[in-house]
Amino acid sequence: MASWRRRPVFIAGIGMSNWGFYPETQCSDYASRAILAALQDAGMFWPEVQAAYCGTVYQGTGAGHRVIREVGLTGIPIVNVENACSSSSAALRLAFQQVAAGIHDVVLAFGIERNPRGPIASTAFDPWELEAGFNFQPGNYALEVRKYMEEVGATEEDISRVTVKNRRNASLTDFARFQTPVTLEEVLTSRMVAPPLRLLHCAPLADGASVAVVCSESKLASPGRAVRIAASALTSAIHGEEYVPGGIVGSVRYPSDTNLVRLSAQQAYGASGYGPEDVDVVQAYDTVSAAELWDLEDLGFCGVGEAPGLLREGVFDLTGKLPVNTDGGLMGRGHPMGATGLGQVCELVRQLRGEAGPRQVAKARVGLAHAMGAGPNSSVTILAR
Amino acid sequence: MSGSERESRRSPVREGLWTVPADGEPRLLGHRCRVCGEVFFPRRVTGTCSRCYSQRLDEVQLGPLGRIATFTAVMQPPAGGRYRGSVPFCYGIVELDDGVRVKGHIAAAPDRLRTGMRVKLSIDELGRGEADDVVEIYRFHPTGE
């Protein structure tokens, strides 16, 4: 770790749009309103913000500047951050580092997305891989899901129960894209997308914005509602590991005994002083339902192959020992790529403040969020009250 | 150009992915590190081993036999509009006997595939290119063993 003394860093306020589809609306409209909501939540005004980081995948050059133009023009540095589906987690990490290092006292981190209509040429794969059809992410995930199911003996019912839980949580979440629960039967009979994955095993896209006002202790208007950023880790691929959605195929001769998710979790636990046993609530990366299961294992909450059984027992339910994806996760809330990571963080802040309403987890003090994306990259954020 | 000449024009989806040696059996073109033995497909652009960072990579021919490590079927056209083939199509990860894992198309209906199944490499038509040429790709066929 770095040798400099880090200052404690806090999230003073959060703001979000509802997550859905807004074909008639500009991204800058709902994102700028979310920034104002976050400032109000923090008890701050725009001139106090000294720098801003905007996470986005598809909004293009100057996207964050365009949003902030609707809020105020104060000459601050604004940087647009693209790191695939954890872009806003990476934006939060940069804001965290600026405050921790004492460079700034108040920094805005936000994530925005409005899904482009029509074909999107992915830059995360080689051009010939696009021509070969290797960029179909539900298919790439399906390759991982089949390996996981065969390795640990997980069934179709096991991976479908993740969707049922997350859609149930989403039905208690007013900003979620999906407001209705689904039954196990509905998941198991939904359209096949890429076997073994069906439509209701795959997270739906969404438009949305998410914001966090990050600051030093001295800037907190209401310290009682502040949540501390205990750690923010970011990793990329390790030679030998296999993660097909991230475009990497494993080594036969030198398979890795760890992976980028485990590495990011270890770094976050190490930096925060917390371990998995201290975490009260988790926002996992359920871009496909089965991914939540191996995610919980890679994040150290249980052993390999144990997540399906624990899910069946209700451990990951809102009333369970370790509630996971309390707002419905990507599966229920929707997946506005650049806004997803900070959306997870916003939900943790609500939970740790005790402001999560009908889905409030009892006595939540420490929360962990995990987002990852093409590259591949993996972000783990740990928050504490 | 006559119609038959146009039909005969064939181009690989990318140059340098495979070769067809004198025995007529196509092989994939990879790199093997002379220092640590790691095997790569496709060949490394930088000529550098990403495991031990040596620059002593030998070009090797890989295949044609391997086993299916995982597979799926794509039921709808992939996003982006760049895919040249038809749907549905099967693809997966194949572990070649040479000790390298390769992402590739598999020529079979998904309900007939199993992990561990033996497959053999061939060069097949993927679809049509921009100049109406036949775009070719390497593809794995179950051997029935």
Side-chain angles (χ1 to χ4, degrees):
Chain A
M1 294 310 297
S3 59
W4 43 272
R5 187 180 292 267
R6 287 186 297 165
R7 298 196 296 175
V9 181
F10 297 85
I11 294 178
I14 54 169
M16 263 182 43
S17 67
N18 287 347
W19 292 9
F21 271 108
Y22 308 119
E24 306 304 323
T25 313
Q26 297 296 314
C27 189
S28 51
D29 295 356
Y30 53 81
S32 55
R33 285 188 209 109
I35 290 176
L36 288 177
L39 288 168
Q40 186 175 15
D41 188 42
M44 289 187 195
F45 291 102
W46 177 254
E48 295 175 80
V49 175
Q50 297 166 310
Y53 294 95
C54 172
T56 176
V57 177
Y58 288 123
Q59 302 317 300
T61 303
H65 298 71
R66 187 168 154 219
V67 175
I68 287 175
R69 211 186 295 157
E70 299 292 334
V71 181
L73 298 168
T74 48
I76 62 166
I78 304 167
V79 179
N80 297 288
V81 180
E82 190 282 305
N83 216 19
C85 298
S86 78
S87 291
S88 54
S89 311
L92 177 70
R93 183 167 191 265
L94 292 166
F96 165 74
Q97 290 173 331
Q98 294 276 306
V99 175
I103 295 167
H104 293 301
D105 286 318
V106 182
V107 181
L108 193 79
F110 64 116
I112 59 175
E113 210 64 74
R114 181 174 177 275
N115 284 279
R117 305 312 189 256
I120 308 163
S122 172
T123 51
F125 294 88
D126 284 345
W128 74 272
E129 293 185 301
L130 301 181
E131 295 191 30
F134 292 162
N135 61 314
F136 186 63
Q137 286 297 42
N140 289 331
Y141 272 106
L143 300 180
E144 296 290 344
V145 173
R146 187 180 302 278
K147 282 190 295 181
Y148 177 79
M149 290 173 75
E150 293 195 356
E151 186 190 337
V152 310
T155 64
E156 263 205 82
E157 285 76 10
D158 288 327
I159 68 169
S160 302
R161 279 189 194 95
V162 175
T163 305
V164 173
K165 169 180 72 69
N166 291 355
R167 287 288 294 267
R168 187 167 61 232
N169 292 353
S171 74
L172 303 172
T173 305
D174 52 2
F175 55 81
R177 180 173 170 202
F178 288 129
Q179 300 281 330
T180 51
V182 291
T183 64
L184 192 60
E185 179 71 14
E186 285 173 300
V187 180
L188 287 167
T189 56
S190 62
R191 174 168 65 84
M192 194 63 91
V193 172
L197 291 178
R198 296 174 179 276
L199 184 65
L200 290 179
H201 294 136
C202 302
L205 296 177
D207 301 336
S210 49
V211 186
V213 179
V214 178
C215 71
S216 59
E217 193 160 16
S218 62
K219 293 289 181 182
L220 289 172
S222 50
R225 291 177 75 239
V227 169
R228 186 170 57 88
I229 304 177
S232 171
L234 173 62
T235 57
S236 59
I238 298 166
H239 181 87
E241 73 167 301
E242 183 160 287
Y243 180 58
V244 184
I248 54 169
V249 172
S251 169
V252 176
R253 190 177 175 123
Y254 298 108
S256 176
D257 57 3
T258 185
N259 61 42
L260 76 165
V261 177
R262 287 179 178 270
L263 187 67
S264 58
Q266 282 162 10
Q267 289 179 2
Y269 292 135
S272 67
Y274 295 113
E277 66 283 359
D278 298 313
V279 175
D280 302 308
V281 54
V282 176
Q283 302 303 120
Y285 193 66
D286 58 329
T287 182
V288 297
S289 59
E292 179 174 309
L293 299 171
W294 70 63
D295 215 29
L296 292 167
E297 296 168 4
D298 283 343
L299 294 169
F301 294 113
C302 57
V304 172
E306 291 177 359
L310 295 172
L311 175 70
R312 237 180 351 254
E313 291 164 22
V315 169
F316 306 130
D317 289 352
L318 283 179
T319 52
K321 188 163 172 284
L322 184 68
V324 176
N325 285 329
T326 50
D327 62 357
L330 277 62
M331 203 62 63
R333 168 190 74 210
H335 182 24
M337 290 160 280
T340 287
L342 268 172
Q344 296 176 318
V345 166
C346 287
E347 174 66 5
L348 287 184
V349 169
R350 284 184 214 101
Q351 290 286 352
L352 299 189
R353 284 175 172 175
E355 297 175 354
R359 57 184 192 283
Q360 180 64 50
V361 171
K363 294 178 189 161
R365 285 192 60 256
V366 178
L368 182 148
H370 175 234
M372 62 189 304
N377 75 83
S378 172
S379 291
V380 171
T381 311
I382 297 179
L383 303 182
R385 242 341 250 294
Chain B
M1 187 185 285
S2 76
S4 60
E5 273 172 330
R6 179 170 296 163
E7 279 166 28
S8 69
R9 279 186 50 218
R10 306 177 81 83
S11 44
V13 68
R14 177 184 156 183
E15 294 288 344
L17 291 179
W18 64 81
T19 185
V20 184
D23 66 3
E25 296 276 13
R27 307 286 207 290
L28 297 179
L29 287 173
H31 270 148
R32 179 179 282 118
C33 178
R34 211 182 290 176
V35 177
C36 76
E38 183 62 301
V39 185
F40 298 94
F41 173 81
R43 289 175 293 180
R44 300 280 297 163
V45 173
T46 58
T48 304
C49 174
S50 63
R51 182 180 171 274
C52 77
Y53 312 107
S54 101
Q55 298 201 318
R56 299 167 65 191
L57 299 183
D58 294 322
E59 188 174 301
V60 285
Q61 295 184 8
L62 304 168
L65 290 166
R67 282 184 194 282
I68 296 175
T70 180
F71 66 93
T72 187
V74 176
M75 317 299 282
Q76 63 195 67
R82 302 281 301 278
Y83 174 57
R84 296 216 179 270
S86 54
V87 286
F89 71 96
C90 286
Y91 77 115
I93 303 290
V94 169
E95 190 164 316
L96 295 179
D97 295 351
D98 311 78
V100 63
R101 288 164 82 91
V102 169
K103 185 154 72 168
H105 287 223
I106 304 172
D111 54 4
R112 300 185 58 185
L113 293 178
R114 298 287 178 271
T115 55
M117 205 176 248
R118 295 289 283 168
V119 289
K120 187 177 178 186
L121 187 70
S122 77
I123 303 304
D124 295 346
E125 177 176 339
L126 171 64
R128 290 279 166 168
E130 270 151 35
D132 203 31
D133 48 333
V134 173
V135 178
E136 292 184 318
I137 194 164
Y138 62 91
R139 190 156 65 154
F140 296 98
H141 293 250
T143 62
E145 288 170 40

